[in-house]
Amino acid sequence: MLIKLKKERTHQEDRRLALWLATSAGLLNAIALGAFGFFPSHMTGNTSQLSSEVSSTDLSDILFFGAIILSFVSGAIAARIIVIWVIIHNVRLVFSQVLFVEGLLLAGVSLYEMYFHSFATNQEIIIFLCGLMGIHNSTSTQLSGGRVRSTHITGTLTDAGISLASVMVAMMRRDYSKDTAAQKSQLKTHLTTLFSFISGGIAGLILFREFGFHAMLALGLMLVVVAAFSIVRISWRVRKVRAALSRQV
């Protein structure tokens, strides 16, 4: 799921990716809403709000929303630069490693909020979470080749609509080609992403009401565990293959 191989990824792998990353994005988005009254992944709304603040000439809010957008983009840029650098050096575990670091950072922020929560630092925490969301979305997008965008629900809904329209037209024309099968698989992947994000959002609000920032800490640790499991599993498989090849030699 978290390893990008030379062969083409299957939709089943992308759906598992969507289940984990879109659900975790929905969880973090909803927890941030409960904690700070703000969606860290909603860049369309944040950009619109920035335009509104520019028209009202409120400098502090203009700087805040500008910092939010810059943080999200910076997270996406950082994730891409890391992936390019590691691909050049042929390290297959890069996506797992990025997710591992993201989980650690989220867990660190959660611990800070649990013990030192202050309304005076809310804006800084929101900006930091937007950066994590940028990393999160960039990771899923790069890993799936654009088929899974864990936080970009507007784009996912658009893609789902396109796939659904293609499938409906093919059914009316009784077209049973490989292209139609591919569109059906893509539609299932988009629907999995949407369902996962929505489910994560519902669960996130409930969990934050019950457990507060402990819910955010649990989410960060979950990402760490998922990434660590992938790293250990793939490393063990690589060692096993190398040992088998050495015995043959």
Side-chain angles (χ1 to χ4, degrees), residues 154-165:
T154 302
T156 302
L157 282 169
T158 303
D159 293 340
I162 292 171
S163 297
L164 178 59

Side-chain angles (χ1 to χ4, degrees), residues 69-102:
I69 296 168
L70 180 61
S71 178
F72 187 92
V73 174
S74 298
I77 292 172
R80 180 56 181 165
I81 290 174
I82 292 170
V83 169
I84 291 174
W85 187 86
V86 175
I87 287 176
I88 291 173
H89 292 80
N90 197 30
V91 179
R92 293 167 56 190
L93 295 172
V94 56
F95 294 100
S96 301
Q97 293 165 342
V98 170
L99 190 64
F100 184 84
V101 172
E102 180 193 344

Side-chain angles (χ1 to χ4, degrees), residues 54-73:
V54 169
S55 66
S56 65
T57 64
D58 189 330
L59 182 59
S60 62
D61 286 342
I62 290 172
L63 293 175
F64 174 58
F65 283 102
I68 284 173
I69 296 168
L70 180 61
S71 178
F72 187 92
V73 174

Side-chain angles (χ1 to χ4, degrees), residues 212-233:
F213 286 106
H214 288 84
M216 186 183 289
L217 175 62
L219 175 58
L221 294 177
M222 182 196 77
L223 293 176
V224 169
V225 170
V226 170
F229 176 78
S230 177
I231 292 170
V232 171
R233 181 169 176 265

Side-chain angles (χ1 to χ4, degrees), residues 5-40:
L5 304 174
K6 290 183 179 179
K7 67 180 181 63
E8 184 179 355
R9 285 174 61 87
T10 66
H11 281 281
Q12 186 175 3
E13 289 172 330
D14 284 338
R15 285 172 203 142
R16 289 202 300 270
L17 181 71
L19 279 171
W20 283 105
L21 296 195
T23 300
S24 58
L27 280 165
L28 180 55
N29 212 37
I31 291 172
L33 175 65
F36 309 110
F38 203 89
F39 289 117

